[in-house]
Amino acid sequence: MTDGDRTLTRREALRAAVAVGGSAGLAACLNLENQPTETEEADRDTDRPDGTEPAAELPNRQHAWDEFSRTDEHGNPVLARHHVLLLADYVGDGPVDDGDRKQAANAFRELEETYRWASDGLLFTVGYSPAYFDRYDEPLPESVDLPQPAALAPFEDPSFDTPDILIHLASDRASAVLEAKQALFGELETANGSEVTETIDGIVELVDRRTGFIGPGLPAEHDDVDGVPDGAVPEDAPLFMGFKSGFVENQATEDSVTIAEGPFAGGTTQHLSLLRTELDQWYNQDSREQRVAKMFSATHAAEDLVEGVGDNLGDSSLVAETGVGDRVSDDAFEEGVVGHAQKLARARDEDGEPRLLRRDFATVDDGRTGVHFLSLQESIADFIQTRTAMNGTDVANVGGVGTKNNNGILQYITTVRRGNYLLPPRSKRSFPRPS
């Protein structure tokens, strides 16, 4: 595969194929994955995989991915490399009928039986928006906090996602996320060597498809889009802004984001934002020391706590250990800058634990860099509280900190879209009723 006069690397070609999607993208992925690399055997076995988990043995929580994912040397769960987000509407008006509900249940069950339930196979969730539940006369129970999406800062003006359904497909194999989409929508006769007999074709209409990736080296390999300074993204960075995230000590646990009671006990809520990133400013305006201060804290920069992309930090960004969350106002006045992670440390719960479980990833959809910021939390109020802390409104105009300037990474991101969803437990993931 080429890009103009340049031959793409294997990983670049796989990412490009996911972005293209459809039959052409899938064919390109399968071809690439069936070619051994210089150091590895071919990484895709098209036979029905060994180890496929019977549905009855999978957790009832759709979001219970950690035990089926890779971990790094520090024990941090590692998100799958390739992601596809499918936003779709139910084709009918009013409540969903039982026939369509059963059809969807069969399709989702067949999909999870087609691939190994793991990051090197396929992980997926199915979420439902407030707009979906509006079709029912009965409201959601009080145990579920799922408001309509809204602007969450005085300086943002996002569009709001209102499709009924959000399906999140994730895999280390680019072909799996493409093939799974086509299998769900009845575009294939076989998937991963198995006959496709159950689909959601005819009961939902796809209205948007978004793609992304995460992992060391992937952003640097996609720095040829608009707004990325040549060679600025570190070669081993997992995200475009050049630092590692997802430290286990700075993430909520799957248990803590799970809805504890009511008819959706075992589920969770999901927020999805599309954030555009201004990497030209990020890399050209500031020194590395300034970028560390804005991403973490002035203390992290002054004490040189972050080496490279941050692998040396282990399983924690050190915001709790250094106590920088208690220094936000002081740093604004004395240092003229406050850090992104530093501000978020103030949004922890009464036990000092983070409220969000982040599963965000980078994107170059539409030829621009960005982040599909996807988080899980027990209630959307937890997300709003965390985002409010990130806004740093209380320290805007203190010292050298402005509304966005020197206020974490706010100057370099723009929220383009927002959407909220309920991820019901697996037993209710097919067109749930409000109760």
Side-chain angles (χ1 to χ4, degrees):
M1 185 177 289
T2 61
D3 180 12
D5 296 331
R6 189 172 71 88
T7 300
L8 299 180
T9 67
R10 186 172 184 273
R11 289 202 298 186
E12 286 175 320
L14 284 169
R15 205 288 308 161
V18 173
V20 169
S23 300
L26 177 57
C29 283
L30 291 171
N31 183 47
L32 287 161
E33 291 176 348
N34 283 318
Q35 294 175 4
T37 65
E38 291 182 359
T39 57
E40 299 174 334
E41 297 294 327
D43 61 3
R44 192 177 203 277
D45 181 354
T46 56
D47 292 339
R48 191 180 181 91
D50 295 333
T52 299
E53 300 288 345
E57 297 181 10
L58 294 178
N60 193 35
R61 297 180 298 187
Q62 290 194 75
H63 57 287
W65 288 10
D66 285 354
E67 66 178 295
F68 305 98
S69 300
R70 293 175 287 119
T71 56
D72 67 15
E73 60 183 316
H74 306 294
N76 301 306
V78 176
L79 204 56
R81 287 192 287 269
H82 299 282
H83 297 259
V84 170
L85 300 166
L86 304 173
L87 292 89
D89 278 327
Y90 177 60
V91 297
D93 297 324
V96 177
D97 68 47
D98 287 343
D100 290 345
R101 183 170 289 109
K102 182 177 181 181
Q103 180 179 338
N106 290 341
F108 296 141
R109 187 177 304 114
E110 183 172 276
L111 188 64
E112 68 191 4
E113 291 176 349
T114 298
Y115 300 88
R116 181 182 298 108
W117 186 258
S119 55
D120 64 350
L122 178 73
L123 300 170
F124 68 92
T125 60
V126 186
Y128 296 86
S129 70
Y132 165 79
F133 288 103
D134 284 346
R135 69 184 57 247
Y136 296 90
D137 293 333
E138 186 180 0
L140 281 165
E142 292 184 358
S143 56
V144 174
D145 172 45
L146 187 71
Q148 298 286 348
L152 298 177
F155 45 79
E156 70 173 31
D157 184 25
S159 299
F160 302 121
D161 290 328
T162 58
D164 292 319
I165 304 169
L166 172 61
I167 301 173
H168 177 195
L169 305 171
S171 177
D172 287 337
R173 298 176 175 180
S175 64
V177 293
L178 292 180
E179 192 177 63
K181 179 267 176 183
Q182 294 185 54
L184 271 178
F185 284 82
E187 299 164 6
L188 294 174
E189 295 183 355
T190 62
N192 203 27
S194 298
E195 182 182 4
V196 177
T197 62
E198 307 286 351
T199 79
I200 55 174
D201 182 40
I203 58 174
V204 301
E205 179 182 9
L206 186 66
V207 297
D208 199 5
R209 175 182 174 276
R210 303 171 191 172
T211 68
F213 50 87
I214 186 171
L218 286 173
E221 290 189 356
H222 302 100
D223 64 357
D224 55 345
V225 296
D226 289 346
V228 186
D230 238 9
V233 181
E235 290 292 333
D236 54 347
L239 291 163
F240 273 118
M241 297 191 82
F243 295 108
K244 186 175 180 177
S245 67
F247 301 101
V248 68
E249 293 298 325
N250 301 97
Q251 292 267 62
T253 64
E254 291 176 342
D255 285 345
S256 69
V257 302
T258 300
I259 296 171
E261 57 185 27
F264 292 103
T268 188
T269 70
Q270 181 184 63
H271 178 84
L272 176 66
S273 303
L274 171 58
L275 310 177
R276 287 298 181 199
T277 47
E278 301 296 336
L279 297 182
D280 194 31
Q281 288 187 57
W282 177 245
Y283 283 109
N284 286 331
Q285 175 180 285
D286 294 335
S287 65
R288 171 178 166 80
E289 182 179 359
Q290 291 169 318
R291 291 199 296 275
V292 171
K294 291 180 179 179
M295 183 62 77
F296 296 94
S297 77
T299 298
H300 284 69
E303 298 183 8
D304 202 16
L305 298 179
V306 184
E307 299 174 6
V309 301
D311 277 331
N312 68 298
L313 296 173
D315 62 358
S316 169
S317 66
L318 304 183
V319 291
E321 294 85 343
T322 55
V324 295
D326 297 328
R327 285 193 48 82
V328 173
S329 295
D330 291 341
D331 279 0
F333 187 75
E334 297 170 9
E335 305 292 341
V337 61
V338 293
H340 171 70
Q342 178 181 19
K343 289 184 292 179
L344 295 183
R346 304 182 302 173
R348 296 193 170 202
D349 66 17
E350 56 277 9
D351 297 320
E353 299 298 326
R355 296 174 183 274
L356 307 188
L357 175 54
R358 292 178 51 176
R359 286 180 174 158
D360 52 298
F361 45 92
T363 183
V364 290
D365 284 349
D366 302 320
R368 294 190 58 195
T369 63
V371 177
H372 289 304
F373 187 89
L374 191 154
S375 67
L376 305 175
Q377 52 282 311
E378 184 174 7
S379 74
I380 294 298
D382 291 325
F383 175 79
I384 294 173
Q385 186 164 344
T386 304
R387 173 65 205 208
T388 300
M390 176 182 162
N391 289 342
T393 305
D394 56 318
V395 291
N397 303 315
V398 174
V401 176
T403 302
K404 299 177 76 173
N405 291 348
N406 297 324
N407 199 333
I409 59 173
L410 293 176
Q411 183 182 354
Y412 312 97
I413 60 172
T414 301
T415 305
V416 177
R417 307 199 67 87
R418 288 197 183 282
N420 296 331
Y421 303 88
L422 169 67
L423 299 190
R426 189 184 304 273
S427 57
K428 295 183 177 181
R429 73 178 164 192
S430 305
F431 295 123
R433 301 177 183 86
S435 61

